[in-house]
Amino acid sequence: TIVNIRRSNWDCGRFQRENLYSDMDEYYHSSNGNRGYRSRMIDWNLVPAHEIAEELAVNIHRHHAEISEGNDDEPLNIDWHTYIEASKAGQCAAVTARKDGKLVGYIIFTISRNLRHMHIIEATSSGWYVEKEYRGNLGIEIIKKADELLKQAGVNETSYILNGERASKILKRQGFKPEQTVWSRKYGQ
């Protein structure tokens, strides 16, 4: 059963269809040895997470295997129902990057009022992925676009929970800093 989730005070209606476009350079290496950069158009959106749930479900195990860096000994067992319910309640959103309509990157955020500081609306990432061929510039750009879109929607603090060093380096370069340490213990089944 789902616990009754109370809607936070941020304006979830503002993220229904926020679009940004970005011309970014794409590095290429062709079969004949040519290398260089070419322009590509990326469509950026902040959408309710349930709108991309089916797209995620198809690829989530591949995404998880690529980004976990062998640090996650638990198999994925996603509670899609809770994600979808939270999304419909305005508490779960996704920043998406699309090229020609194809989802090439995303960050999933849970969004809520901070329980200790109720004037703060916070977004906490619970999943982040960029397709291999788009990593590099797009990995950095998705953080910048997430900041921009979340601020427009009324969020005033963003946190990322990570399992690896690659993402930590990107976040550090973008001005994020570690503020808390999470310690955990797993109990037997």
Side-chain angles (χ1 to χ4, degrees):
T1 61
I2 297 289
V3 176
N4 187 14
I5 302 171
R6 293 180 59 204
R7 186 179 219 145
S8 63
N9 215 10
W10 77 293
D11 186 0
C12 66
R14 282 200 248 169
F15 75 78
Q16 294 299 318
R17 281 281 139 220
E18 294 290 339
N19 292 312
L20 293 172
Y21 296 92
S22 174
D23 260 335
M24 294 173 46
D25 289 331
E26 177 179 58
Y27 182 76
Y28 69 91
H29 182 163
S30 66
S31 59
N32 65 4
N34 292 333
R35 297 176 189 212
Y37 289 88
R38 61 180 162 236
S39 180
R40 65 175 182 209
M41 183 64 82
I42 299 293
D43 180 12
W44 299 95
N45 291 287
L46 179 61
V47 299
H50 67 274
E51 288 187 8
I52 65 165
E54 286 184 34
E55 286 177 277
L56 294 181
V58 172
N59 294 303
I60 198 76
H61 290 284
R62 176 178 61 84
H63 296 175
H64 179 71
E66 287 179 23
I67 62 173
S68 68
E69 299 178 357
N71 295 330
D72 195 352
D73 55 356
E74 287 286 323
L76 280 182
N77 186 17
I78 296 173
D79 184 352
W80 291 105
H81 180 72
T82 300
Y83 266 110
I84 291 167
E85 290 300 313
S87 175
K88 289 179 178 178
Q91 295 178 323
C92 190
V95 172
T96 61
R98 293 184 183 276
K99 180 167 182 357
D100 300 324
K102 178 187 176 207
L103 186 65
V104 295
Y106 61 86
I107 306 175
I108 304 293
F109 291 97
T110 54
I111 301 169
S112 63
R113 182 178 300 283
N114 182 298
L115 296 176
R116 292 180 293 154
H117 307 281
M118 59 187 280
H119 64 282
I120 296 174
I121 305 301
E122 59 189 0
T124 303
S125 94
S126 62
W128 176 11
Y129 183 77
V130 174
E131 292 287 352
K132 280 184 181 181
E133 62 268 27
Y134 294 91
R135 291 182 190 160
N137 285 345
L138 190 66
I140 294 166
E141 192 71 11
I142 199 167
I143 298 298
K144 292 177 182 178
K145 296 299 181 185
D147 278 350
E148 190 175 333
L149 290 166
L150 289 166
K151 281 184 212 173
Q152 289 174 7
V155 171
N156 43 18
E157 185 173 312
T158 305
S159 301
Y160 290 84
I161 300 170
L162 307 171
N163 261 358
E165 291 302 312
R166 284 184 286 180
S168 297
K169 290 175 185 175
I170 292 171
L171 291 169
K172 191 173 188 176
R173 284 193 304 254
Q174 297 306 307
F176 285 82
K177 60 184 180 186
E179 289 191 357
Q180 298 177 11
T181 301
V182 176
W183 295 71
S184 67
R185 176 181 302 179
K186 296 183 181 184
Y187 300 102
Q189 301 294 28

